[in-house]
Amino acid sequence: MYKLALFDLDGTLTQSEFGILASAKYALEKFGIYEADQKKLKRFIGPPLYVSFSEFYGLNGADGEEAVRLYREVYEAENFKNAPVYDGIPDALAALKDAGSRLMVVTSKPQDMAERVVEHVGLKPFFDAIVGPGREMHTPSKTVLIERALSLAALDKKNAVMIGDRKFDIEGAEGAGIDSIGVLYGYGSKEELEKAGAKLFAETPAHISKLII
């Protein structure tokens, strides 16, 4: 059994596409970019915002800064609430806690915002800590965030596992030297997760607890 389970937030605990996509569309439209392709907008789920606006839409420098500001303007006001918890997540987290696992959230979402989301959806009591970057970190490393969580837990790496739906979670776990579980109900494909190095996969939230306990 893993003594420490680190959970990504968007696409792993919450179905966050609704608030994220609406906020991304709002910001892009302020620059005259009208993106109707939902698949392309879903690329915003996972990477840091600055990376998404730069790599996918060429908004760099001051434009990138303004795009992120506009996104956060609407996301933090109301859109963050539009991220329902996946069915089965509370039961899976409760099973892990009952079995003696410690749980933390490790996300690329700014930590203060992640705390608001976790609080809003009612999952805060399950977690020992929520680890995310500060606002000043434009391209946070998932490996660095995972290492911060490991330091807080003060456990051997062999006792920890990272659970996430995108390559960033799996690559971060690889970089930190811990095992990972790729979830297949989120926003990444099995092919993406396998290419990043995932060897264990969970098709449902209930499957996560079975792999860990």
Side-chain angles (χ1 to χ4, degrees):
M1 183 187 82
Y2 292 105
K3 296 180 180 179
L4 176 65
L6 307 176
F7 282 84
D8 175 48
L9 180 54
D10 298 328
T12 301
L13 296 173
T14 62
Q15 191 176 357
S16 54
E17 65 187 89
F18 311 107
I20 290 176
L21 271 57
S23 302
K25 284 186 70 175
Y26 171 83
L28 290 170
E29 287 174 4
K30 292 295 185 179
F31 284 89
I33 301 170
Y34 298 91
E35 181 61 84
D37 190 328
Q38 293 290 100
K39 187 175 181 180
K40 289 182 178 179
L41 287 169
K42 284 184 180 180
R43 295 178 298 181
F44 276 90
I45 304 170
L49 284 173
Y50 293 92
V51 173
S52 296
F53 281 116
S54 173
E55 290 189 1
F56 305 143
Y57 294 96
L59 298 174
N60 302 298
D63 284 346
E65 294 274 357
E66 178 63 4
V68 171
R69 187 194 70 76
L70 289 165
Y71 173 100
R72 289 177 172 165
E73 177 179 88
V74 291
Y75 181 80
E76 296 180 9
E78 195 68 26
N79 286 352
F80 78 93
K81 297 176 182 178
N82 200 0
V85 173
Y86 283 107
D87 290 342
I89 281 292
D91 289 342
L93 298 179
L96 291 172
K97 293 288 282 187
D98 289 345
S101 292
R102 296 175 64 185
L103 312 180
M104 294 184 182
V105 173
V106 179
T107 175
S108 294
K109 189 185 296 293
Q111 182 166 320
D112 61 328
M113 199 64 235
E115 289 172 349
R116 288 180 66 190
V117 172
V118 174
E119 175 86 43
H120 177 74
V121 298
L123 296 181
K124 189 173 182 180
F126 291 109
F127 294 102
D128 291 1
I130 297 171
V131 178
R135 296 275 178 160
E136 75 285 354
M137 297 175 68
H138 290 185
T139 56
S141 162
K142 204 64 177 268
T143 293
V144 170
L145 295 171
I146 290 171
E147 289 175 340
R148 188 192 304 170
L150 292 171
S151 177
L152 289 172
L155 289 173
D156 192 289
K157 290 183 177 182
K158 68 181 181 182
N159 293 318
V161 63
M162 177 72 205
I163 302 103
D165 69 312
R166 296 297 312 278
K167 65 180 181 179
F168 312 101
D169 306 306
I170 309 305
E171 290 171 349
E174 291 277 309
I178 67 171
D179 291 342
S180 62
I181 296 172
V183 303
L184 303 181
Y185 56 81
Y187 298 109
S189 66
K190 187 174 184 180
E191 180 183 8
E192 174 188 331
L193 296 167
E194 281 183 324
K195 188 175 181 180
K199 297 176 180 62
L200 296 174
F201 301 92
E203 295 186 0
T204 66
H207 195 194
I208 295 173
S209 54
K210 292 177 182 177
L211 289 171
I212 292 176
I213 297 173

